[in-house]
Every structure is written in structure tokens, then in C-alpha cells.
Amino acid sequence: MNTNKNVDKLFELKNTILTRYDNLSKRLQQVARYLLDNSNNVAMETATSIAEKLKIPPSTLIRFANEFGFSGFNELKQIFRQHYIESTSSYTERARLLRSTHEGIPEDPEEILKISSTVNIQALNQLQSNISNEQLLSAINLLKNAENIYIIGVRRSFSLAIYTNYALRHLGLKSHLIDGLGGMYKEEFNLCTNKDVLISISYASYAEEVLDIIDYGVTVGVKQICITDSQVSPLVAFSDVNFIIKEALLNGFKSQIASMSLIQTLIISLALDIAKTDVT
């Protein structure tokens, strides 16, 4: 069973390896290069086969893992394996991979529901700990003062973007979903000004379409709110307010409940703020 403690940390791990690469021994640099360049192979190969391919003793892989805070190479490899499973677009194929690489996977629907509820509760509790009132108030202030609000989220994040646009429009705000119809992402955003706000939603691996829109927003001076999954996410660098969400993960399937809870919090708080202003 995977929980939110096992969320995909491959981006963070690779970033750490790159940062410390020059200070590693030549033998450990050899391992580092292989891990950085062959993510999918690392996910599915055994430690023995990797060691043979690199012509190094298996103990070197253990030493490399220890260098980065892991108890052994198999623990480090789980990060690559989890990322590989999550990046498989076919859910059926994802389930096959899980069966081939994990033991004790629950298959009874009632048991899956029970575990899913548990890990989502853990993710929601973590959300409360990670998001401050100051962040929420800053985002609400940006949204209520924006002339226009643009929202982008693609693939798995698209449903969150659609709901955000739907809810903001029901508040009477000028909200625009950047859906890229016909590939016209930038064209849908090219009338933005520095009086507008961009909400971007993306998780590892981060969508190029979202990153392109963020970059364009920087050149115009648009205020930016991002919802993402890591402090080293490329969305964070240019955001005025960033929300780091650690979603629940069950057997390679990532939830959206924590992200939706955050978005609903912003919408409800914004609605109350607007109502208060109207009364006064």
C-alpha cells in the first residue's frame, strides 16, 4: 500500500543529486549519471543488473543511497518506480505494473475505499498544516482586485482548472479558462495586463504548456498564484502566492481531494469577502 508519504519525489531527488554531483567521488558520480539519464531503467531493473551494467560492486549502489539519506538502494529505487508507474498514461497498464512490482495490493473494492479514505484524510490534515492564513488572505486579495482572472491546468489538472473557472464566474468575476483549443494557449492569454491574475495548476512532471504561459505572464507583469506539489517546482519561482499540495497516493493513483479542498476554501472565502463588501 502506498500513502501520501510515498508521493513522487523524483524531481527533488534529481535536483539534489545535480546540486551535490561535483562533490561526489568518481565512482558515485558514475552512479549519479546513470540514475539521472535512465529513470525508467532504474525503476524496473534490479540493483544487481545495474551494478553489472556499470561494472561496479553492488555495495557502491548502497553507498550512493546512504549518501542521500536512504537506508538502502531499494528504498531509493522506489522513488523511480513510483514515478514510472504514475507516468504511465494507461490506468490498466499502471495496474499491471503494480501487480508485477508490489505485493499485498488490495483488490477488494471495499478495502480500496477504506484505504483511499484513510490516505485522503491524511492528505487533508497535512494541507491544514502546510497552508497558512496569510497565504490564503494574500490570494483572496489578489483575486478580488483583479480585472481579469486567467486559469490554466492541463491533463490531470484540467478538471481543477475547469471547476475554478466555473466557481469564479458564479461569483461574478471575469474569469477565463485557458484551455488551448486549437493549440492557442498564448493567444487566449495575450490580452492580459499587469492588472490581471493568473492561476496555474500543475504537478510533476510539470506541463510545458503551463510553464510557457507562466513565462509569458512574467513579461507582462501579471500577478501569479500557483498550486503545485513542491517548493522546487518551476511554478513557484515567479509566483506571488504559492500553495504546495501533497496529494494522497494509493497504488500509483494520485488523488485531487486536497487540491479541490484548497480551491473551495479560496472560493468560499472570496464569496464571503465580496458579500461583506456589498453590505457595507
Side-chain angles (χ1 to χ4, degrees), residues 7 41 119 167 173 181 244 266:
V7 292
N41 290 348
V119 295
L173 300 175
L181 183 63
I244 308 302
L266 291 173

Side-chain angles (χ1 to χ4, degrees), residues 1 10 28 32 57 67 69 73 102 106 108 123 127 141 145 149 161 163-164 169 180 182 185 205 235 257 261 264 275:
M1 180 188 73
L10 186 60
L28 294 187
E67 183 74 23
F73 187 73
H102 290 272
D108 179 70
L127 177 69
N141 187 59
N145 291 310
I149 301 169
Y163 173 76
T164 305
R169 288 196 171 194
Y185 287 100
S205 51
L235 278 71
I257 288 177
S261 181
Q264 288 182 322

Side-chain angles (χ1 to χ4, degrees), residues 20-79:
R20 297 177 54 187
Y21 180 83
D22 290 339
N23 296 322
L24 298 174
S25 67
K26 289 185 178 180
R27 188 63 67 83
L28 294 187
Q29 284 182 346
Q30 184 183 1
V31 176
R33 286 195 298 272
Y34 186 80
L35 266 60
L36 292 170
D37 296 338
N38 301 276
S39 295
N40 290 349
N41 290 348
V42 175
M44 304 308 293
E45 291 175 339
T46 65
T48 301
S49 65
I50 294 173
E52 289 176 354
K53 188 174 292 186
L54 296 178
K55 297 180 180 179
I56 59 174
S59 59
T60 302
L61 296 178
I62 298 173
R63 188 155 55 89
F64 182 90
N66 294 159
E67 183 74 23
F68 289 90
F70 297 93
S71 59
F73 187 73
N74 282 337
E75 183 184 356
L76 180 150
K77 194 173 81 165
Q78 286 300 321
I79 293 178

